[in-house]
Amino acid sequence: MTKAHSSPVTLHSALLYSPQFSHYLYGPSHPLKNERLALTFRLIEAYGLLELEGAELREPRLAEEAELLSFHHREYLQALRRADEGASFPSALTWGLGTSDNPIFAGVYSWSLLITGASLSAAEAIEEGGFDFAFNMGGGLHHAHPARASGFCYLNDPAVMIHYLVKRGRRVAYLDLDAHHGDGVQEAFYDTDQVLTISLHESGETLFPGTGFPDETGWGKGKGYSVNLPLYPGTDDGIYLWAFEEIVPPLLTAFKPDVLVSQLGVDTHRTDPLANLSLTLQGYARAVTRVRGMARKWVALGGGGYNLNNVARAWTLVWAIMNYRELDPTIPRKFLETARPFGFTEKSLWDPTATESEFSREAARKYAEKQVGIIKESIFPLHGIKG
Ligand SMILES: [Zn+2]
């Protein structure tokens, strides 16, 4: 089912997962389906990726409230704890709770503590457990603000986890490949040079949250440490990988992070119902493989992804890539049988070749070239990189 290909050294990897990840539901009409996580786990299992040498499945812990205070406000946490019962209350909307994007559902706080705890557990696996790489597919909830739920996110697990690493003196690079701008994480580290945030996303001109332009470069000591590469609807694998290559490797080489944290949302996929980029899983996998190549210590997180067929395949691929495994392109039959009720119908791990119209491709290419040029001009000199 899987075959190993050469890894440079013996690596130890940790998969943080709990069946509880998918026990809490945003609601029947909400695009974020937590069952995508259980489905992904089952595909990982069906591919035999739970019994790999050097890899370990670990039970995540819950985040503690004191840890959340590194990013979130106490009053907001009180409100979120109150929402845990599943009923609204008078000031809920002040905190962004009870909107159609961020509904109040039973266990919303408990679930958020578990997801954030899993990201902290991933960082601890690296820092204390002797692991090189760790993956929390439930994490990457990058839109939560210090005192406001936003964009399906209640607690900002990447920000809380990066604070944990920074407290231990680590230099951290955060690379966000979700279709949406990683606004909450950028905000958390906007004024520090200890954390480099890079976000590739569909332009804020056409997609939530409307931010993430190249002129958002950081403030004070953090000037040049926030990098934004917006992309035009219709951006395909070729354009995406070109822009990625122009910007990401030079910056990571110059910054030399101790730990690379990546948010690997797969709402960049051409069939994602919420965003308008045009990647295939082949392009996604190539980007993730490049991320692996640039990381000494790597924490990978999930993120957006609203087509279950894509999510399960993409994050199974992430775990395979993390462990230098190549997968049989045919989806295991026993998985397909049980996954069909969830709407999973793909028979292949890979997508058919896709072609954008020349007109749309040209617009996306021109847009990407312009953004890359701006970043090279404004950010690269601050890091001593020759554009
Ligand atoms: Zn997203």
Side-chain angles (χ1 to χ4, degrees):
M1 196 61 76
T2 72
K3 87 178 174 250
H5 53 108
S6 61
S7 80
V9 281
T10 309
L11 290 164
H12 294 287
S13 55
L15 179 66
L16 283 302
Y17 181 78
S18 161
Q20 295 289 325
F21 278 3
S22 47
H23 282 185
Y24 301 93
L25 304 173
Y26 278 59
S29 56
H30 198 283
L32 184 65
K33 307 276 181 219
N34 281 335
E35 57 258 42
R36 65 194 187 136
L37 304 173
L39 205 60
T40 304
F41 185 78
R42 275 158 54 189
L43 185 55
I44 286 175
E45 194 175 29
Y47 265 116
L49 296 171
L50 292 179
E51 296 98 23
L52 302 174
E53 211 189 313
E56 196 177 309
L57 175 63
R58 305 195 112 200
E59 185 74 26
R61 69 173 175 86
L62 296 180
E64 287 169 25
E65 200 160 297
E67 297 173 297
L68 306 177
L69 291 170
S70 61
F71 178 67
H72 291 285
H73 293 180
R74 194 181 295 279
E75 297 74 14
Y76 170 66
L77 296 176
Q78 280 164 359
L80 193 56
R81 199 187 314 121
R82 196 169 167 190
D84 203 49
E85 287 176 18
S88 192
F89 49 94
S91 66
L93 280 175
T94 323
W95 311 103
L97 299 169
T99 62
S100 57
D101 273 8
N102 289 86
I104 292 177
F105 58 87
V108 60
Y109 188 54
S110 311
W111 182 76
S112 302
L113 289 180
L114 176 62
I115 293 296
T116 306
S119 290
L120 286 164
S121 298
E124 284 165 356
I126 302 280
E127 285 291 313
E128 296 164 10
F131 289 87
D132 304 285
F133 298 162
F135 180 33
N136 169 24
M137 65 171 90
L141 303 177
H142 57 174
H143 295 305
H145 295 287
R148 189 165 52 86
S150 173
F152 315 162
C153 308
Y154 300 87
L155 293 178
N156 197 313
D157 63 283
V160 171
M161 182 254 278
I162 293 169
H163 270 299
Y164 159 86
L165 292 166
V166 166
K167 231 175 262 164
R168 296 175 69 96
R170 303 294 179 222
R171 275 168 80 74
V172 182
Y174 172 76
L175 176 61
D176 190 318
L177 301 186
D178 194 277
H180 301 88
H181 176 223
D183 57 344
V185 186
Q186 170 175 298
E187 181 184 355
F189 305 104
Y190 207 59
D191 61 355
T192 177
D193 56 6
Q194 187 87 5
V195 180
L196 170 70
T197 64
I198 307 173
S199 181
L200 277 69
H201 46 262
E202 181 179 335
S203 169
E205 289 169 61
T206 49
L207 195 69
F208 176 89
T211 51
F213 295 97
D215 63 349
E216 298 161 36
T217 59
W219 187 81
K221 258 181 25 184
K223 189 91 194 148
Y225 291 84
S226 288
V227 183
N228 286 293
L229 174 52
L231 297 161
Y232 203 67
T235 296
D236 64 6
D237 292 348
I239 296 163
Y240 186 91
L241 292 166
W242 171 81
F244 179 103
E245 227 28 72
E246 289 294 305
I247 297 302
V248 180
L251 280 167
L252 291 183
T253 304
F255 182 71
K256 297 184 186 64
D258 299 312
V259 184
L260 177 59
V261 176
S262 63
Q263 200 269 24
L264 302 175
V266 67
D267 42 10
T268 47
H269 195 277
R270 51 186 292 114
T271 60
D272 190 88
L274 294 198
N276 311 294
L277 298 179
S278 243
L279 268 66
T280 65
L281 280 182
Q282 288 88 317
Y284 177 86
R286 278 179 65 188
V288 174
T289 305
R290 281 297 280 141
V291 174
R292 180 192 67 194
M294 294 183 287
R296 277 193 316 116
K297 299 282 181 183
W298 177 25
V299 180
L301 305 171
Y306 306 99
N307 175 326
L308 269 59
N309 284 275
N310 298 337
V311 173
R313 292 183 299 153
W315 296 344
T316 297
L317 276 164
V318 169
W319 180 239
I321 291 166
M322 190 173 262
N323 289 287
Y324 288 83
R325 295 284 150 162
E326 224 170 281
L327 301 179
D328 185 328
T330 308
I331 300 282
R333 187 194 295 266
K334 67 172 188 230
F335 170 81
L336 269 183
E337 282 160 12
T338 59
R340 220 167 268 127
F342 296 94
F344 188 100
T345 52
E346 295 287 344
K347 293 191 179 58
S348 170
L349 193 58
W350 302 116
D351 292 316
T353 328
T355 38
E356 289 296 310
S357 77
E358 202 43 49
F359 178 76
S360 141
R361 215 177 169 269
E362 191 58 12
R365 188 180 60 77
K366 281 206 172 108
Y367 190 87
E369 280 174 359
K370 185 171 171 208
Q371 312 307 316
V372 164
I374 297 171
I375 295 168
K376 285 189 173 178
E377 225 167 83
S378 59
I379 304 266
F380 277 22
L382 300 171
H383 296 273
I385 307 166
K386 292 197 179 75

